[in-house]
Amino acid sequence: MDYQFAAIEEKWQKYWADHQSFKAEANSDKPKYYVLDMFPYPSGAGLHVGHPLGYIASDIFARYKRLKGFNVLHPMGYDSFGLPAEQYAIQTGQHPAVTTETNINTYRRQLDQIGFSFDWSREVRTSEPSYYKWTQWIFMQLFNSWYNLETDKAESISTLIEKFNAAGSADIKAACDEDTRTFLPSDWANFSEEEKQEELLKYRLTYLKESTVNWCPALGTVLANDEVKDGFSERGGYPVEQKKMMQWSMRITAYAERLLQGLDTIDWPEPMKEMQRNWIGKSSGASVKFKVENSDLQIEVFTTRVDTIFGVSYLVLAPEHEWVAQLTTPVQKAEIEDYIAQTKKKSELDRMADAKTVSGAFTGTYVINPVSGERVPLWIADYVLAGYGTGAVMGVPSGDQRDWLFATNFNLPIVQILDSQKEIDVQADPTKEGKYINSGFINGMTYKEAVAFLNQWLEDQGVGKAKINYRQRDAIFGRQRYWGEPIPVYFKDGLPYLLKEEELPLLLPEIDKYLPTETGEPPLGRAEGWKYEGKYEYELSTMPGWAGSSWYWYRYMDAQNDQVFADPKAVDYWKDVDLYIGGSEHATGHLLYSRFWNKFLKDLGFSKEEEPFKKLINQGMIQGRSNFVYRVVDEEGRGTNKLVSFNLRKDYKTIALHVDVNIVENDVLNIEKFKVWRDEFANAEFVLENGKYICGVEVEKMSKSKFNVVNPDVLIAQYGADTLRMYEMFLGPLEQSKPWNTNGIEGVFKFLRKFWRLFHNEAWEFTVSDEAPSKAELKSLHKIIKKVQEDIERFSFNTSVSSFMIAVNELTDLKCNKRAILQELVVVLAPYAPHICEELWSLLGNKDLSTAKYPVFNPEYLVEDEFAYPISINGKMKMNLNLSLTLEAKDAEAAVLANEQVQGFLNGASPKKIIFVKGKIVNIVV
Ligand code: ANZ
């Protein structure tokens, strides 16, 4: 039979599903390999050809690893809580669970059609109670933990309480809020229950606190920093403003150093690591306290240049600093208030970007430089951010560009503190030494000496010390939305308490509308009678999108467990993800949060490894290839009913319109289909070139609005999944972004047909011979065994595809239909084109290709035993002659001279001398 891809693919997809062919073994003696894809959010649009790119690559790898004898875990699931389903619910009243289910079914159908080897018995859906029960459970563990800086790990909150009981709070070294109290054991004993809970909340790894958040009024929710781009929400593009709210937060800052150190141990693309490093933003410096004149207050600043302290000519507070009001003199009050009002209109990004227009206002108050004893004015300015460092800065105009602008602007003194003008270089390169001047007791010291000396001096005087600061902040964890995990907390006397473990999951209640209440409470406030024990208010915000996705990789190890978090045996075996493939857009979101939760789970003994994802690959984006038609416009720019072909458009005034790429073939417009697609052009005039309407082309993001979305379903129907899989790999290196272009898909399809042909005779009957293979056939086979193995191991999938094509051409030329060759070739191709290979494998009389062994490469078959010698006469190359490489000079010379063609060139002349270089050349001198 000819290559009937549709029937073959359907048959084997069903077989794999029925036989659970890719189910990972729970107890296995085999080595494990865990291949993970970033699971999709099931959107209404379904998959386009860009989505499966990474999935195909990981599937090839997973299938390859199985053939190599590994017990492979290759799961899939859905990140099924989230905003789009909720937005849709708001518009239509449709329950998000219903739309989510519909969308998941579409995704599943599409994924199945591509022939992925997922272990569907481990499927997860983050919005299922059986799953989010454990997301809530993790939240509870975080609430019940604090971070002990002495042991450098999270510990149960009970160990903190023990310490409070035994020795009070003075010696506690914890990652905690700034405003913790210092108390004795006796104080602790006398604290009321509320006071105790309030204090503990300042240590818990998830805590409730008033904080400034990105509030998006249009979406009615708080957004994470990475969901805000240039002051607008990433989804929808609505304005985002800063607002103070009581919020759940995760104390990710406790893990800043471990998150940083861990990056050096994992095999991730360098740009991803760099993005995380920048996000964490470690800087080493000092904190210094400046006493306020005529007051007991001391303002603490964070500086990375403590060596410049003699050059301080003013101090600046962030406009939001909590002491601004109390440190403003009555005379300056109006000016300061006016300035604060101005600041509120600016986003943090604007404030950081406005380097050239530094603004500020004087508080009327002075502070004392603890080192020089000098009196300097206290200002507020919005270039100082409230959330970074201490929200207070010492201004050194001779050391810092912004400070210099500020001082120039407001006529503040500028004191030179280094004898060279290259102060900033000193920090960038501390070996470059400038000498301090005007700097009291550090005059003449080097940079290193000055820093070490000052840090010690400040500490001795009790007015400062060396300090490491991280830019990263704690992660906001609450959202005022419906379609997310309920937070398992209720309130008693204004304080949060956890549910009991056996009360999980706390189910998402039913509500009438998916909107905030009339009084501005989150949608959960609409749930009638929804109270803990009938009387206590539940937390009304839900968890953010990243909650469920931060640990789904862990759940797959023991996906069905509803008794314990995960069977330790399963975790001991699978440990971590060996290969993770997904988009780079998750660098500072999902990938950072997952690492954080994993470290926490490790501290508690649940996780085995410090890092969850050993190797990460970011697949490139598949861009759309848009097509355009050109509409002629009149003088006023109004569209006419005339469309002109691409190369003729210069003669007219036109505007370009996107045209659906599905009605364009090789850039030629199908005019009849176009008239149907846009009926306003049903009677349009088409100006053609060579009888065709040629469309313009541009590479853009693949998007519905650009009509350049290519649906894999259409291609699968036309060519089959095996062709689609190979073609997506053929497009180019996995990591590279590239435009989608179907022009070459035909070639891949023909290749598979040619491959199929090898096993069939002229009449398309399946026939293979059991004859022993020839050397040439073995060479072809072993070349491809080696090449594909090397390619896959270095994740270079595109290069294998062309090698397969070469191999099949060679074998076709050799008219090879030997079982010994073809059977092994089937196994080598199987990870790429699994359906056709499974069919041929079974026609060859075998069962279950997934249990086959990858062929062993034998280098002997590649050893060349012949060489095409270039034959020259008097130094002029005349021809090539194949000679055995075993031949030595004498026999080789004889063979050359015996050759008829050579005799022809000699034309009767008798050779004087023959130069023979083995494996290189033969030169006949006449
Ligand atoms: C004095 C000084 C002199 C500074 C000098 C720099 C150069 P990193 O941590 O590398 O980003 N700073 C501190 N807190 C700030 C805040 N909340 N908002 C804006 N700026 C802040 O940089 C830390 C440096 O940025 C600190 O060192 C401080 O200015 C400023 F020649 O102190 B420096």
Side-chain angles (χ1 to χ4, degrees):
M1 231 191 309
D2 195 352
Y3 172 36
Q4 304 284 344
F5 60 86
I8 293 173
E9 293 182 359
E10 201 188 314
K11 168 178 165 190
W12 291 106
Q13 283 162 13
K14 184 167 184 315
Y15 181 91
W16 296 330
D18 291 348
H19 293 77
Q20 299 208 358
S21 300
F22 309 112
K23 196 170 167 168
E25 293 165 39
N27 298 305
S28 171
D29 301 330
K30 290 185 194 168
K32 69 105 186 184
Y33 201 90
Y34 186 174
V35 187
L36 184 64
D37 293 298
M38 288 186 185
F39 65 165
Y41 173 79
S43 83
L47 291 177
H48 66 56
V49 289
H51 297 123
L53 184 75
Y55 297 165
I56 294 171
S58 63
D59 196 61
I60 291 173
F61 205 80
R63 287 177 177 268
Y64 169 77
K65 279 285 177 184
R66 284 192 200 96
L67 297 174
K68 280 284 190 179
F70 288 83
N71 180 23
V72 173
L73 174 54
H74 187 38
M76 185 42 88
Y78 306 96
D79 191 11
S80 49
F81 270 136
L83 272 183
E86 182 156 354
Q87 292 293 86
Y88 190 71
I90 293 170
Q91 287 158 19
T92 63
Q94 176 99 268
H95 196 292
V98 176
T99 31
T100 302
E101 171 82 26
T102 313
N103 295 348
I104 285 181
N105 291 338
T106 306
Y107 268 67
R108 178 63 194 268
R109 178 183 58 73
Q110 290 189 299
L111 292 171
D112 280 347
Q113 273 184 1
I114 305 175
F116 291 126
S117 63
F118 294 129
D119 176 355
W120 284 108
S121 72
R122 294 175 190 251
E123 180 196 298
V124 300
R125 299 179 183 191
T126 54
S127 59
E128 282 296 316
S130 59
Y131 181 89
Y132 71 67
K133 167 182 173 176
W134 298 105
T135 313
Q136 293 172 334
W137 180 88
I138 297 173
F139 176 93
M140 289 172 54
Q141 310 309 309
L142 284 152
F143 187 85
N144 280 332
S145 303
W146 67 294
Y147 199 91
N148 185 345
L149 291 172
E150 273 173 334
T151 54
D152 201 18
K153 58 189 247 188
E155 289 178 14
S156 162
I157 200 85
S158 62
T159 66
L160 182 66
I161 297 171
E162 278 164 30
K163 283 175 190 277
F164 286 166
N165 277 326
S169 67
D171 293 331
I172 303 284
K173 301 238 179 323
C176 57
D177 289 0
E178 296 282 320
D179 60 343
T180 52
R181 294 157 65 172
T182 310
F183 51 80
L184 299 168
S186 52
D187 298 330
W188 176 253
N190 289 328
F191 281 175
S192 68
E193 172 63 16
E194 283 83 59
E195 282 173 310
K196 283 184 179 169
Q197 288 304 330
E198 217 167 297
E199 200 55 27
L200 290 173
L201 204 50
K202 297 176 184 172
Y203 293 84
R204 296 180 189 277
L205 289 184
T206 181
Y207 60 95
L208 200 55
K209 200 183 175 189
E210 176 157 274
S211 41
T212 310
V213 295
N214 302 306
W215 172 250
C216 179
L219 293 174
T221 191
V222 164
L223 298 174
N225 283 343
D226 61 289
E227 291 169 320
V228 183
K229 293 265 154 9
D230 304 331
F232 292 89
S233 62
E234 200 180 26
R235 256 184 213 282
Y238 303 109
V240 174
E241 54 192 54
Q242 305 295 305
K243 184 173 159 184
K244 286 211 158 181
M245 271 175 92
M246 280 304 259
Q247 276 295 322
W248 283 99
S249 283
M250 289 274 162
R251 215 179 288 282
I252 187 172
T253 51
Y255 287 87
E257 191 59 36
R258 279 166 67 186
L259 287 168
L260 204 56
Q261 298 306 328
L263 290 173
D264 296 334
T265 67
I266 48 184
D267 181 7
W268 284 22
E270 204 41 52
M272 298 292 277
K273 293 193 194 181
E274 207 43 35
M275 272 191 270
Q276 292 208 348
R277 283 191 195 106
N278 289 336
W279 189 261
I280 297 166
K282 179 178 182 174
S283 54
S284 308
S287 75
V288 185
K289 289 179 186 156
F290 286 69
K291 195 178 128 26
V292 178
E293 193 179 56
N294 304 324
S295 153
D296 290 337
L297 292 179
Q298 291 190 314
I299 296 174
E300 191 177 335
V301 303
F302 171 70
T303 176
T304 45
R305 290 293 305 276
V306 69
D307 62 303
T308 64
I309 194 153
F310 285 95
V312 174
S313 52
Y314 62 97
L315 217 70
V316 200
L317 299 180
E320 299 87 349
H321 195 287
E322 54 173 345
W323 291 350
V324 171
Q326 87 190 87
L327 293 179
T328 301
T329 60
V331 182
Q332 292 300 106
K333 190 163 179 265
E335 200 179 313
I336 289 282
E337 282 176 357
D338 189 46
Y339 184 75
I340 293 176
Q342 298 291 322
T343 304
K344 284 219 171 103
K345 296 185 192 141
K346 287 197 200 166
S347 77
E348 195 164 284
L349 219 81
D350 293 339
R351 287 170 56 168
M352 290 194 289
D354 280 355
K356 286 200 196 69
T357 54
V358 279
S359 60
F362 178 43
T363 61
T365 298
Y366 287 82
V367 298
I368 309 298
N369 183 327
V371 184
S372 69
E374 251 176 82
R375 181 175 182 262
V376 295
L378 178 67
W379 286 66
I380 65 168
D382 64 12
Y383 78 81
V384 178
L385 304 176
Y388 184 63
T390 58
V393 166
M394 60 185 213
V396 186
S398 61
D400 182 273
Q401 179 68 13
R402 281 178 314 183
D403 296 355
W404 185 83
L405 275 170
F406 194 86
T408 314
N409 211 8
F410 296 112
N411 250 329
L412 293 158
I414 300 175
V415 186
Q416 199 187 332
I417 43 162
L418 277 167
D419 59 354
S420 81
Q421 278 306 301
K422 294 187 181 146
E423 295 88 356
I424 297 178
D425 283 2
V426 175
Q427 189 194 19
D429 178 8
T431 56
K432 211 179 264 175
E433 300 195 342
K435 242 175 60 195
Y436 292 91
I437 53 172
N438 302 322
S439 292
F441 51 68
I442 63 165
N443 274 339
M445 285 189 193
T446 65
Y447 172 76
K448 271 193 186 157
E449 286 164 355
V451 171
F453 185 86
L454 281 165
N455 283 342
Q456 191 57 50
W457 189 90
L458 290 167
E459 192 160 356
D460 293 345
Q461 306 296 313
V463 287
K465 57 171 186 258
K467 187 176 168 183
I468 288 173
N469 199 55
Y470 298 93
R471 188 165 294 277
Q472 181 181 38
R473 316 205 185 138
D474 282 342
I476 305 277
F477 197 69
R479 301 231 176 179
Q480 292 59 46
R481 298 306 299 234
Y482 176 71
W483 192 231
E485 301 85 348
I487 293 178
V489 160
Y490 65 93
F491 289 88
K492 197 163 87 183
D493 304 323
L495 285 166
Y497 290 89
L498 289 181
L499 269 64
K500 297 189 200 75
E501 207 175 305
E502 57 275 19
E503 288 165 342
L504 296 183
L506 172 59
L507 293 177
L508 198 52
E510 294 303 319
I511 54 174
D512 57 345
K513 287 197 258 191
Y514 305 96
L515 289 171
T517 66
E518 278 65 43
T519 54
E521 282 183 331
L524 291 191
R526 294 180 170 272
E528 269 181 47
W530 193 56
K531 293 248 159 52
Y532 183 68
E533 290 180 346
K535 51 185 173 192
Y536 302 113
E537 278 282 353
Y538 279 119
E539 168 62 51
L540 297 180
S541 59
T542 51
M543 299 188 194
W546 58 268
S549 59
S550 289
W551 73 283
Y552 77 114
W553 71 273
Y554 188 97
R555 180 70 176 163
Y556 284 135
M557 295 192 278
D558 189 16
Q560 307 302 336
N561 205 326
D562 58 358
Q563 297 304 310
V564 293
F565 181 49
D567 180 352
K569 280 212 299 286
V571 182
D572 267 343
Y573 179 72
W574 294 110
K575 289 191 179 73
D576 55 4
V577 174
D578 296 283
L579 173 64
Y580 196 17
I581 298 188
S584 57
E585 64 275 19
H586 300 290
T588 52
H590 160 64
L591 288 168
L592 198 60
Y593 297 132
S594 311
R595 294 182 59 222
F596 158 42
W597 275 24
N598 177 61
K599 286 176 195 295
F600 169 70
L601 290 172
K602 169 141 189 293
D603 289 348
L604 266 55
F606 294 106
S607 229
K608 293 294 153 211
E609 300 289 331
E610 179 75 12
E611 290 293 335
F613 313 126
K614 270 208 287 256
K615 180 173 179 70
L616 175 76
I617 295 181
N618 299 127
Q619 83 273 16
M621 279 258 283
I622 295 228
Q623 293 145 319
R625 190 175 181 280
S626 306
N627 277 123
F628 297 89
V629 292
Y630 299 88
R631 182 180 199 179
V632 178
V633 294
D634 65 15
E635 301 292 285
E636 277 94 55
R638 279 185 305 240
T640 66
N641 212 10
K642 188 167 177 175
L643 297 155
V644 49
S645 185
F646 178 72
N647 294 304
L648 304 175
R649 72 194 192 289
K650 297 178 291 299
D651 305 337
Y652 300 80
K653 198 170 157 211
T654 60
I655 48 162
L657 303 175
H658 277 100
V659 54
D660 185 349
V661 294
N662 295 298
I663 57 172
V664 178
E665 210 176 316
N666 289 332
D667 299 331
V668 177
L669 180 71
N670 182 324
I671 293 173
E672 289 318 307
K673 285 190 184 164
F674 179 73
K675 286 179 175 173
V676 177
W677 181 60
R678 294 283 295 265
D679 56 8
E680 72 262 39
F681 292 119
N683 300 313
E685 179 191 343
F686 291 83
V687 184
L688 309 181
E689 48 183 308
N690 302 327
K692 288 175 184 162
Y693 190 100
I694 308 291
C695 296
V697 180
E698 227 173 88
V699 172
E700 300 179 293
K701 184 174 185 264
M702 200 171 272
S703 133
K704 257 189 181 172
S705 66
K706 298 184 164 52
F707 300 107
N708 59 6
V709 173
V710 184
N711 188 317
D713 297 9
V714 178
L715 295 169
I716 290 174
Q718 204 173 345
Y719 299 104
D722 284 337
T723 295
L724 177 78
R725 290 169 64 107
M726 292 202 80
Y727 187 61
E728 291 226 1
M729 293 297 100
F730 189 54
L731 280 177
L734 177 61
E735 296 91 334
Q736 231 169 56
S737 288
K738 52 227 156 195
W740 179 259
N741 170 355
T742 21
N743 295 349
I745 198 166
E746 199 67 44
V748 173
F749 178 71
K750 284 194 183 129
F751 152 75
L752 282 179
R753 207 157 163 254
K754 204 162 177 185
F755 171 66
W756 178 259
R757 182 44 120 184
L758 286 174
F759 300 75
H760 295 81
N761 62 17
E762 288 297 310
W764 290 108
E765 288 157 348
F766 182 84
T767 36
V768 290
S769 99
D770 285 317
E771 265 173 66
S774 72
K775 272 201 169 161
E777 289 165 342
L778 282 167
K779 185 172 159 193
S780 261
L781 174 68
H782 283 263
K783 247 187 355 199
I784 192 80
I785 293 174
K786 174 169 190 277
K787 175 78 165 88
V788 170
Q789 174 167 318
E790 285 171 359
D791 282 351
I792 295 185
E793 302 265 0
R794 59 189 175 96
F795 309 97
S796 171
F797 303 100
N798 59 316
T799 47
S800 295
V801 178
S802 35
S803 305
F804 278 124
M805 292 177 173
I806 295 170
V808 166
N809 284 342
E810 282 172 3
L811 294 172
T812 304
D813 290 346
L814 293 167
K815 299 201 168 44
C816 170
N817 75 337
K818 314 240 172 81
R819 175 188 297 278
I821 299 292
L822 297 184
Q823 181 149 303
E824 303 227 314
L825 185 61
V826 164
V827 181
V828 180
L829 183 64
Y832 288 79
H835 307 86
I836 189 173
C837 291
E838 190 87 58
E839 175 72 9
L840 291 167
W841 183 250
S842 119
L843 287 173
L844 286 162
N846 310 296
K847 244 185 109 168
D848 288 323
L849 183 47
S850 61
T851 60
K853 295 265 164 294
Y854 193 84
V856 180
F857 165 63
N858 184 344
E860 275 170 32
Y861 295 126
L862 297 200
V863 176
E864 298 284 344
D865 51 6
E866 272 195 350
F867 180 69
Y869 282 93
I871 312 286
S872 303
I873 297 178
N874 288 341
K876 263 207 178 136
M877 224 279 261
K878 298 286 182 197
M879 58 176 284
N880 286 87
L881 182 63
N882 276 345
L883 293 175
S884 161
L885 278 166
T886 56
L887 290 188
E888 296 301 334
K890 217 172 124 229
D891 295 335
E893 284 167 26
V896 170
L897 291 180
N899 182 276
E900 240 171 70
Q901 226 184 326
V902 173
Q903 284 301 333
F905 281 119
L906 285 174
N907 199 12
S910 55
K912 292 194 187 111
K913 189 174 157 196
I914 299 179
I915 302 158
F916 172 81
V917 185
K918 194 170 175 184
K920 293 249 157 61
I921 51 153
V922 181
N923 187 16
I924 308 171
V925 183
V926 293

